[in-house]
Amino acid sequence: MIGALVRRELRLSLRRGSSIVLPLAFMALFVLLCGLALGGSRPELGPGLLWLAATLSILLGLERLYQPDQSSGALAQLHLAGVGSGSIAAAKAIAFALTTLLPLLLAAPLLALLLGMSGTQIAGTVLSLVVGGPALIAYASVSAALLCAQRGGAVLSVLLSAPLLIPVLIFGVEAAESYPALGLGAVQFRILAGLSLLALALGGPATVAAISANRGPA
Amino acid sequence: MLTRFANPQRFIRLASWLAPVLGISAGVALALGIWQSFASPPDAEHGETVRIMYVHVPAAWSAMAAYTGIAVASLISFVWRHPLADIGARSLALPGAAMTALSLVTGSLWGKADWGTYWQWDGRMTSVLILLFIYIGYMAIWQVVDDRKRAARLAAITAMIGWINIPIIKFSVDWWNSLHQDATVSSPGAPGLPPEFLAPLMTMALAYTLLLAWFVMRGMQAEVAAMRRARRPAPVATATIEAI
Amino acid sequence: MAGSTLTLRLQDIALSRGGQPLVAGLNVEVSGGEALWLTGANGVGKTTLLLACAGLIAPDDGKIEWEAGGSARTPADVAAYAAHRGPERDGLTLGEELSFWQRVSGDTAALDDRLAGVGLAGRENTPVAGLSAGQRRRLGLACLMAAAKPAWLMDEPLAGLDAEGRALVERCVSEHIRAGGLAVIASHHPVALPGISARKLVLSA
C-alpha cells in the first residue's frame, strides 16, 4: 500500500518537474547570493550555509506535502478506503525525502565547490545531511500536516517547524564541522542521529494525529 | 476526579469565588514583593541592577510554568477531549507569552546594564526567545483554524511536541553557546543566594504565580461565558421525509 | 454486498457548518435495498449531512450508527463517498488515477472494464487536467464502484452530466441497490430510480 502511495507522489512530483527543480534552483541561488554577499569563497561558513539552504528549501516544499490531497478530498477517500494515517504519513515522508532531500544531497557537493570547501568538508556536510535528514523530514511532515486544511497555512507551518528544527540545525552544522578532525565517530554525529530518531518517534505519531484531525473538509 | 473538576457548571461556581481571591492575593503579594525588592540591599557584584532580577527571574519561571500548564492541559484535552481543558490551555497562552516577552525585555535591559549588551547568545536567553516563538505558533493555530474542535486537536498536538522539544532546544543552544561564545559573565542564580535577595525573589515568584492563575481563571470564565452566550440560533432547515 | 442487514440510523442529529446551525432533531433510518434522495436549496446542509454519514465530520448532537450483519460498523467499513469534487490530482492520467484508487480499495476488476463501465473506454492516457466536469463525474463513479462498499454516499452525482451520463448513474445506482446496497444521494436533479424503493428527505429553509 505504501508503495502505491509513494509511486503516486513521485509521479505527481516528476510530472510537475518544477517541484524538484525549484528547491534545487532555490538552493543554488541561495549559495550564489551568499557567496556574493559574504565576499567570495568562505569555506569555513560552508556547512552552515548548506544546512541553511537545505532547511529553507525543505520549508519551501511544505505546502505541497499535504495541502493538495487535503483540499481535493483524497485524504478523506484514503481514510474511507481503509488506508491508515500511518501509511499516508510514511509514504508522504518517503516521497518528500526522495524528491527534495535526495536532489539536494546530490547537488550539495557541486555547491560546496562554489564555496571553496575541501573534500573532507564536503563529505562531512553531505554525511551530516544524510544523518540529520530524517529529523528535517519528520518535523516538516508534522507542521505541514497540522495546517494542511488552512488556506495559506504554509507560512504558519514554517513558523511552527522552525523552533523544532533549531536543534537539528545546530547539531547538523556541528557534526559537519567536526567531521574533518573526528570523522563519523564524533559525538555530534551520535547526537544528530539521536535527534533524528527522536524526531521520527515524536513526529510520526504527531503527523498521524494531525492527518486524522484534518481529513475532513476545511 | 477529573470529571468532577471538569464540569463547566462546577467550574463557574468555583471560579466565581476563586478568581477574586486569586486577584486580591496576587495584588497583595505583588505590592509586598515590589516593596521588598526596593528595600533589599544592592548586590556587591551587580549593584542596583540586581533589582531587575526580581522582575526577570520569576517572569522566566512563570513563562516555563505556563507552557508546562498548556502542555498538561493539552494532553488532557487530547486524550479525554474535554472542552474545559482546551479552554484552560488556550487561556494560559496569552499570559504565558506576555511573561516570556517580559523576561526577554528585562533580561536584555539587565544584560545592557551588566554585560554592556542588549543581547547575548546565551543558552538561557536564546531558549527563552525560542519559547516565545513556540507560544506565537501555538496562539496562531487557535487564531487561524475556524473549527473549534479541530483547532483544539491541532493546538494540543502542537503544544505537546513543543513541550518535549524545549529541553532539547535548551541543550543544543547550551552546546552551541559553549563552542561559539566567550563564557558569559555569570549571572546570579537562585541557589546559594543570600536570604536578603532570596526573600523578594520568592515573594515575586509567588505573586507571578498568583497573577498567572488569576489571568487564567478570568480567561476561562470569559470563554465559558462566551460559549454560553453563543447558544446557537434556531437551525435554518427543517427536514421532512416523503415517499417517492 | 453485505445483504439486506445493512442499516444507517440517524438519531436526533443536529448539524452546523462554520458555527451556523443547519438542521436539528433529524431522525431517519435507511436500510440495504433502499435509496434516500436528499434535496433542498443550496446551503441547507445536504453535503454536511453526507459528510457526517461518512464520519468525516462529527454531528453537534445525536448519533449516527452503521450496522451490518447485526454488528456496529464504522463508516469506513461500509461506506464509500463520492464527493462533489473527486480526489483526482492534475498531473496524473485518467488510467493512473483510477488504477491507484482500485489498488487502494483492493479492486481486482480490469482497468479497461472499469473505464468502459462508465463510458470512458480508451481514455486511460487522457490527463486528468484535461477532463470535462462530466468526465470527472464519471471517473468519480468508477472510483465509487471500485471501492466495493455496500453503502454509497453521493454528492450531486448528476451535475454536469449529459442525458446519457445521467442514465448511466441512475442505472449503476439501481443495480447497486438491487444487489442489496444502500444509497444516500444529495441532488438537485430528480433521481429516477424506477422499481427501487426510495424516499425523499427534503431539507427546507
Side-chain angles (χ1 to χ4, degrees):
Chain A
M1 188 56 59
I2 293 182
L5 285 161
V6 172
R7 267 198 303 280
R8 172 176 153 99
E9 292 290 322
L10 291 181
R11 244 187 216 134
L12 280 163
S13 287
L14 294 171
R15 283 296 147 73
R16 185 189 291 192
S18 66
S19 59
I20 286 183
V21 176
L22 206 65
L24 277 180
F26 172 81
M27 188 155 156
L29 197 64
F30 177 82
V31 171
L32 175 70
L33 290 178
C34 286
L36 292 170
L38 300 174
S41 294
R42 298 289 296 273
E44 73 281 9
L45 293 181
L49 290 179
L50 287 180
W51 260 90
L52 202 52
T55 312
L56 290 177
S57 52
I58 279 178
L59 294 180
L60 203 65
L62 283 188
E63 195 163 20
R64 66 187 165 82
L65 194 47
Y66 284 101
Q67 198 270 330
D69 274 344
Q70 204 290 329
S71 61
S72 75
L75 284 185
Q77 292 294 352
L78 287 170
H79 166 67
L80 287 176
V83 180
S85 301
S87 310
I88 300 176
K92 292 262 181 193
I94 292 169
F96 193 58
L98 289 177
T99 53
T100 52
L101 210 53
L102 189 64
L104 291 181
L105 282 175
L106 298 177
L110 291 175
L111 298 173
L113 290 175
L114 279 180
L115 294 165
M117 290 163 72
S118 72
T120 47
Q121 273 182 315
I122 295 176
T125 308
V126 170
L127 285 171
S128 67
L129 280 169
V130 171
V131 176
L136 291 180
I137 300 288
Y139 287 133
S141 294
V142 189
S143 27
L146 277 171
L147 288 159
C148 61
Q150 249 44 55
R151 214 163 297 145
V155 181
L156 188 49
S157 295
V158 172
L159 180 68
L160 288 183
S161 55
L164 304 175
L165 291 176
I166 287 172
V168 188
L169 194 61
I170 289 178
F171 278 101
V173 176
E174 298 294 344
E177 282 173 351
S178 63
Y179 180 78
L182 299 165
L184 274 179
V187 64
Q188 287 90 335
F189 265 106
R190 269 175 272 160
I191 295 176
L192 187 61
L195 285 177
S196 273
L197 291 178
L198 186 89
L200 292 175
L202 204 60
T207 310
V208 169
I211 295 174
S212 308
N214 273 331
R215 66 183 158 231
Chain B
M1 202 198 79
L2 200 69
T3 45
R4 215 180 117 73
F5 288 108
N7 179 334
Q9 211 73 51
R10 206 170 272 127
F11 169 77
I12 288 176
R13 258 182 280 133
L14 176 80
S16 64
W17 63 265
L18 190 55
V21 170
L22 285 170
I24 293 166
S25 35
V28 171
L30 203 59
L32 178 67
I34 292 172
W35 177 77
Q36 277 180 317
S37 309
F38 284 101
S40 69
D43 180 59
E45 188 190 336
H46 298 273
E48 294 290 340
T49 59
V50 73
R51 300 189 205 287
I52 297 177
M53 176 180 78
Y54 307 132
V55 183
H56 169 72
V57 172
W61 284 348
S62 42
M64 275 306 305
Y67 197 80
T68 305
I70 292 178
V72 171
S74 295
L75 181 69
I76 294 170
S77 151
F78 189 80
V79 177
W80 289 282
R81 298 186 189 233
H82 202 286
L84 214 52
D86 51 61
I87 292 176
R90 194 182 177 178
S91 310
L92 266 166
L94 193 61
M99 294 290 188
T100 316
L102 179 66
S103 96
L104 277 173
V105 170
T106 51
S108 128
L109 289 175
W110 196 9
K112 181 65 187 169
D114 255 33
W115 305 329
T117 167
Y118 285 112
W119 183 258
Q120 276 272 14
W121 288 95
D122 155 83
R124 255 184 263 181
M125 269 183 104
T126 313
S127 4
V128 172
L129 179 63
I130 297 169
L131 179 64
L132 183 63
F133 284 114
I134 296 180
Y135 266 117
I136 292 172
Y138 175 80
M139 291 190 291
I141 290 213
W142 279 109
Q143 203 64 244
V144 300
V145 180
D146 295 324
D147 179 38
R148 223 192 153 282
K149 280 183 205 150
R150 182 180 289 185
R153 298 293 285 168
L154 300 178
I157 299 170
T158 313
M160 289 188 288
I161 316 176
W163 190 74
I164 297 172
N165 264 280
I166 287 173
I168 302 164
I169 292 171
K170 176 78 168 63
F171 163 74
S172 52
V173 176
D174 275 341
W175 180 291
W176 178 87
N177 183 52
S178 68
L179 284 177
H180 293 261
Q181 251 344 90
D182 304 327
T184 43
V185 189
S186 72
S187 50
L193 213 60
E196 62 269 31
F197 297 125
L198 203 56
L201 187 61
M202 286 304 152
T203 315
M204 287 296 271
L206 178 69
Y208 275 51
T209 311
L210 290 169
L211 202 61
L212 201 60
W214 181 61
F215 275 135
V216 172
M217 274 291 163
R218 298 289 301 167
M220 288 177 75
Q221 271 182 315
E223 282 257 358
V224 171
M227 274 167 76
R228 312 228 134 181
R229 237 179 299 120
R231 273 284 153 245
R232 37 192 80 142
V236 291
T238 50
T240 46
I241 298 174
E242 304 162 12
I244 305 177
Chain C
M1 293 294 146
S4 57
T5 52
L6 175 71
T7 314
L8 163 64
R9 203 174 293 118
L10 305 185
Q11 289 173 341
D12 239 358
I13 296 301
L15 293 169
S16 63
R17 185 184 52 232
Q20 170 69 43
L22 297 168
V23 64
L26 176 62
N27 286 292
V28 64
E29 190 173 317
V30 193
S31 299
E34 210 185 355
L36 183 70
W37 172 26
L38 297 179
T39 183
N42 285 329
V44 88
K46 300 188 296 292
T47 299
T48 310
L49 182 56
L50 282 181
L51 287 168
C53 291
L56 294 170
I57 58 168
D60 294 349
D61 215 350
K63 264 195 299 192
I64 297 182
E65 291 172 334
W66 287 96
E67 209 178 278
S71 53
R73 300 298 170 100
T74 66
D77 289 338
V78 290
Y81 169 54
H84 184 62
R85 181 211 188 289
E88 68 272 3
R89 293 267 304 267
D90 293 354
L92 298 180
T93 67
L94 186 52
E96 285 165 347
E97 191 66 59
L98 183 53
S99 53
F100 170 74
W101 291 104
Q102 280 187 293
R103 167 93 177 71
V104 161
S105 320
D107 180 42
T108 50
L111 176 65
D112 289 341
D113 294 345
R114 283 279 175 232
L115 285 171
V118 293
L120 291 171
R123 288 198 175 268
E124 66 262 37
N125 291 324
T126 313
V128 166
L131 293 181
S132 73
Q135 286 172 319
R136 281 175 188 255
R137 191 72 54 198
R138 286 164 191 259
L139 169 61
L141 183 63
C143 289
L144 192 67
M145 293 197 283
K149 296 284 181 71
W152 284 6
L153 307 171
M154 308 171 84
D155 198 355
E156 297 295 345
L158 301 180
L161 285 174
D162 50 22
E164 184 253 330
R166 288 198 292 276
L168 170 76
V169 171
E170 287 165 352
R171 196 173 62 241
C172 289
V173 173
S174 299
E175 275 168 19
H176 175 72
I177 290 174
R178 269 194 210 100
L182 164 168
V184 181
I185 304 161
S187 176
H188 284 110
H189 303 276
V191 190
L193 301 171
I196 295 291
S197 148
R199 280 175 297 159
K200 182 160 89 162
L201 176 67
V202 188
L203 294 171
S204 47

